[in-house]
């Protein structure tokens, strides 16, 4: 098939994600000689700053991809709305919002899935207490099902050991994310939530331009430092022409169970300021919820019930159907 040196070829294959252990994938994807050479070059090369700046400029100048122009979805999948949940800043509880929002959408009777695009820091499987490996069939990669039916694909579901670090350069990470879209058999979904990685670099750009994002939800918290970084993420959405559907301020306040007084441990809310900047249709506050943190740690998010997320899920889906139903085939 190829005259690529066997040793080099094995090195490349061994460093690719072990997607499944079946006769179809056998821990590797069929690669052409050109693809093997490109991946080797990407893994070894140190791209100079001028080249990086050129790539970023070219991506930012390009409009957001329409569904017909995006990476090809697996032919056994049909997804109505793709919602990217972003922040630009780590530590604001983005993955927690994704997991809880997905559970709320599923409880509303909607078929929901989660694509964990945070390749180097996947945490979604922990929230759903998933430890089994994803497997492949003749149709493609099969997402792992949570106990309430949510379909999930995450890097921690394909690694040999869940605590193994992912030490890949951006081109390989981008390839893995695209394969989560092109190779995974999502089936019929009403909403696919994408847990975005933090930052505004190459990987988020790939998600926003290679996948048919319907709209985005931005997660923030009241600290001024966080707000400053989140504004960068919002401006990235504007440059890429990705609609901003909601701004969710997490850890907004803490309410005493006994006296019901509200404290703001992270400072006054910045939500109104962000609302004026973005004109987002939905602005929402989530307080500090110790019981939610406990449910996440125990992997019991599917059994968690809270009106903050239930009402947010209803508003988000109502807005999706009202504003973007014309994009659904």
């Amino acid at each position: 098939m190829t005259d690529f040196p066997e040793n080099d070829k094995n090195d490349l294959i061994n460093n690719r994600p072990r997607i499944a252990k079946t006769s179809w994938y056998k821990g590797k994807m069929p690669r052409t000689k050109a693809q093997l050479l490109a991946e080797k070059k990407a893994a070894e090369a140190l791209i100079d700053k001028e080249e990086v700046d050129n790539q970023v400029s070219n991506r930012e100048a390009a409009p957001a991809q329409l569904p017909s122009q995006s990476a090809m979805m697996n032919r056994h999948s049909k997804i109505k709305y793709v919602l990217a949940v972003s922040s630009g800043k780590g530590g604001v509880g983005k993955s927690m919002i994704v997991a809880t929002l997905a559970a709320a959408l599923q409880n509303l009777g909607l078929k929901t899935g989660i694509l964990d695009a945070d390749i180097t820091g996947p945490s979604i499987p922990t929230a759903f207490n998933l430890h089994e490996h994803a497997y492949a069939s003749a149709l493609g990669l099969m997402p792992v099902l949570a106990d309430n039916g949510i379909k999930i694909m995450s890097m921690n579901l394909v690694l040999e050991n869940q605590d193994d670090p992912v030490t890949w350069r951006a081109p390989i990470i981008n390839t893995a994310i695209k394969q989560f879209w092109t190779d995974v058999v999502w089936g019929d979904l009403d909403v696919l939530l994408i847990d975005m990685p933090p930052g505004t670099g190459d990987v988020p750009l790939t998600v926003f331009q290679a996948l048919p994002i319907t709209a985005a939800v931005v997660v923030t918290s009241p600290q001024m430092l966080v707000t400053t970084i989140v504004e960068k993420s919002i401006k990235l959405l504007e440059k890429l022409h990705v609609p901003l559907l909601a701004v969710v301020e997490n850890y907004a306040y803490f309410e005493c169970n006994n006296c019901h007084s509200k404290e703001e441990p992270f400072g006054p809310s910045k939500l109104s300021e962000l609302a004026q900047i973005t004109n987002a249709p939905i602005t929402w506050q989530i307080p500090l919820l110790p019981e939610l943190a406990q449910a996440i740690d125990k992997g019991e998010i599917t059994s968690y019930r809270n009106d903050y997320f239930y009402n947010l899920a209803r508003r988000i889906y109502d807005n999706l159907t009202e504003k973007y139903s014309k994009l659904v085939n």
Side-chain angles (χ1 to χ4, degrees), residues 165-288:
V166 178
T167 55
W168 299 338
R169 297 181 187 274
I172 307 301
I173 294 176
N174 292 339
T175 299
I177 291 174
K178 290 179 182 178
Q179 287 180 331
F180 282 175
W181 177 257
T182 61
D183 293 5
V184 173
V185 183
W186 292 105
D188 290 337
L189 291 181
D190 295 301
V191 182
L192 177 68
L193 297 173
I194 300 181
D195 188 6
M196 295 288 295
T200 56
D202 189 61
V203 177
L205 284 168
T206 294
V207 175
F208 285 129
Q209 294 196 312
L211 275 58
I213 306 298
T214 307
V217 172
V218 170
V219 181
T220 183
S221 63
Q223 303 101 305
M224 180 60 72
L225 176 61
V226 172
T227 302
T228 301
I229 302 302
V230 167
E231 286 180 2
K232 295 178 181 290
S233 183
I234 292 173
K235 289 180 179 179
L236 175 65
L237 297 176
E238 293 175 354
K239 286 185 177 182
L240 299 178
H241 308 292
V242 177
L244 176 58
L245 183 63
V247 177
V248 178
E249 186 177 67
N250 200 20
Y251 311 138
Y253 57 87
F254 177 77
E255 184 174 355
C256 175
N257 290 331
N258 297 322
C259 63
H260 300 290
S261 65
K262 293 183 179 180
E263 301 291 338
E264 297 176 325
F266 297 115
S269 173
K270 307 293 191 303
L271 190 58
S272 60
E273 299 173 18
L274 288 174
Q276 293 177 0
I277 296 173
T278 63
N279 293 319
I282 301 171
T283 55
W284 206 262
Q285 282 189 320
I286 303 292
L288 278 163

Side-chain angles (χ1 to χ4, degrees), residues 36-164:
L36 288 168
L37 287 170
E39 290 180 6
K40 183 178 181 181
K41 182 178 179 181
E44 295 178 349
L46 292 175
I47 304 175
D48 59 35
K49 185 177 184 300
E50 182 179 353
E51 179 63 20
V52 172
D53 291 341
N54 289 338
Q55 290 184 14
V56 172
S57 297
N58 291 338
R59 284 177 180 270
E60 290 183 350
Q65 301 255 6
L66 295 175
S68 60
Q69 299 171 318
S70 64
M72 184 66 69
M73 181 169 55
N74 182 281
R75 64 191 182 94
H76 300 288
S77 303
K78 186 177 180 181
I79 303 172
K80 290 182 180 179
Y81 306 107
V82 181
L83 194 62
V85 183
S86 177
S87 68
K89 181 75 171 66
V92 298
K94 173 179 52 61
S95 296
M96 180 184 73
I97 297 295
V98 170
T100 316
L101 184 58
L105 288 167
Q106 189 80 1
N107 289 336
L108 286 172
L110 302 172
K111 297 176 182 178
T112 309
I114 300 176
L115 190 162
D116 189 355
D118 196 351
I119 299 296
T120 59
S123 55
I124 292 298
T126 300
F128 290 89
N129 195 30
L130 299 178
H131 302 287
E132 61 185 285
H133 285 82
Y135 68 94
S137 71
L139 305 179
L141 295 174
M142 307 304 295
V144 176
L145 295 181
D147 57 15
N148 66 343
I150 295 175
K151 297 179 179 179
I152 298 172
M153 180 54 66
S154 171
M155 183 53 61
N156 259 19
L157 300 177
V158 300
L159 291 175
E160 188 72 25
N161 301 300
Q162 292 191 356
D163 57 354
D164 286 344

